[in-house]
Amino acid sequence: MAKSRAGKGFMAIGGLAALLALGGCGDRVLDTGLVGSVFGGGPPPDAPTPIRGMSGENKTFPNLATVPPRPTDVPSLEQRQKDMTALEQERAQARAAAKELEEKYKPVPVPPKPKG
């Protein structure tokens, strides 16, 4: 039994080593994926990929004139305070209703163990 465990451990280590070795086969692994880099598939060299987009080749900056204007439909401080007060009242009503239901529908006590 100890022999089979050792064999499985060596197989796992060997498989991990093979995956790490295949991962270092080329520099196109990040662009095409492991399978694409091994079998030669994937995008042509000039095609944009997410990895190339993060490499710093894209030097354009966003246009700050495209930022939307500030929202104008923001409620006033008084309106927000009224809303908060209404929410507090609703919460108090909900807690009172929950307490009433808990008192009305109390769980049935557990019957005593039968003697015998």
Side-chain angles (χ1 to χ4, degrees):
M1 182 151 183
K3 214 176 202 183
S4 66
R5 283 187 182 172
K8 288 181 182 178
F10 285 125
M11 286 177 48
I13 290 173
L16 182 62
L19 283 175
L20 290 175
L22 282 175
C25 283
D27 59 346
R28 294 191 56 200
V29 172
L30 294 176
D31 285 338
T32 61
L34 183 61
V35 175
S37 64
V38 170
F39 295 109
D46 294 337
T49 64
I51 300 299
R52 289 191 186 134
M54 291 187 286
S55 67
E57 295 174 11
N58 186 4
K59 304 235 187 255
T60 60
F61 293 99
N63 183 359
L64 293 181
T66 61
V67 175
R70 288 187 176 268
T72 57
D73 59 346
V74 178
S76 66
L77 184 59
E78 294 82 20
Q79 182 61 38
R80 286 187 295 208
Q81 190 60 42
K82 284 171 56 176
D83 291 343
M84 291 296 291
T85 305
L87 287 172
E88 288 173 3
Q89 290 173 354
E90 287 179 20
R91 183 178 293 144
Q93 290 172 356
R95 285 184 179 153
K99 189 172 186 179
E100 182 181 323
L101 287 174
E102 285 175 0
E103 290 175 3
K104 185 177 179 180
Y105 297 105
K106 287 186 179 179
V108 176
V110 178
K113 278 186 161 182
K115 295 181 182 178

